[in-house]
Amino acid sequence: MKDDKKNQLFSLESELLNLVDPVFCKVEVDLVKWLYDLTGEKKWEMDSEDENEHYVSFHMKHHDQQAEITLYNSGFASVDIDGKSVFHGDILDQKHQKGKLNYYRIDSGEKILLN
């Protein structure tokens, strides 16, 4: 009986240690689908990408249209099409729900599922 309690305690401690393992979160967005939702145009293609420590900007094109999507590390985003702003806000907000927040282990890159 004592061994069972000791094993349960050890198991609990190892599970708690996993809760403090370093993780990173990433906002993921289907850019082509989002541009389709905003413009009604399909087949957007990636033209270029710029990144710095605060945001990532994606430059996309569809025939003669140009789009720039800027995703900030905070979950905020802006979308300009042909120089005109068509979206400016939080992509994790319930009413927009364009982004999905996922968590990954720092050491292995393995995706972590949270309840």
Side-chain angles (χ1 to χ4, degrees):
M1 183 77 167
K2 278 187 174 183
D3 288 335
D4 288 342
K5 285 186 179 184
K6 185 177 179 181
N7 287 338
Q8 287 175 351
L9 180 59
F10 179 73
S11 176
L12 178 61
E13 287 175 359
S14 64
E15 287 177 21
L16 289 175
L17 290 175
N18 288 333
L19 294 176
V20 296
D21 286 344
V23 299
F24 67 94
C25 63
K26 184 191 297 188
V27 176
E28 297 173 347
V29 180
D30 182 338
L31 299 177
V32 173
K33 182 180 181 315
W34 193 12
L35 286 174
Y36 172 72
D37 291 346
L38 292 171
T39 66
E41 301 290 338
K42 293 183 180 181
K43 299 186 180 181
W44 285 88
E45 298 176 1
M46 183 70 67
D47 193 30
S48 66
E49 179 181 331
D50 298 317
E51 184 175 355
N52 76 24
E53 65 183 80
H54 302 291
Y55 63 85
V56 179
S57 287
F58 301 93
H59 304 273
M60 302 183 73
K61 62 182 178 179
H62 172 48
H63 298 294
D64 60 342
Q65 287 185 303
Q66 300 290 320
E68 180 179 355
I69 302 169
T70 303
L71 303 175
Y72 296 89
N73 294 345
S74 64
F76 200 80
S78 65
V79 179
D80 294 345
I81 298 176
D82 293 331
K84 181 180 176 186
S85 178
V86 295
F87 180 87
H88 192 74
D90 184 354
I91 60 173
L92 298 174
D93 184 7
Q94 291 296 327
K95 72 178 184 178
H96 299 125
Q97 284 195 326
K98 295 302 177 191
K100 184 177 180 182
L101 193 58
N102 290 309
Y103 299 89
Y104 299 87
R105 292 179 55 96
I106 285 182
D107 57 354
S108 67
E110 180 182 337
K111 189 173 185 178
I112 299 169
L113 299 175
L114 300 176
N115 291 341

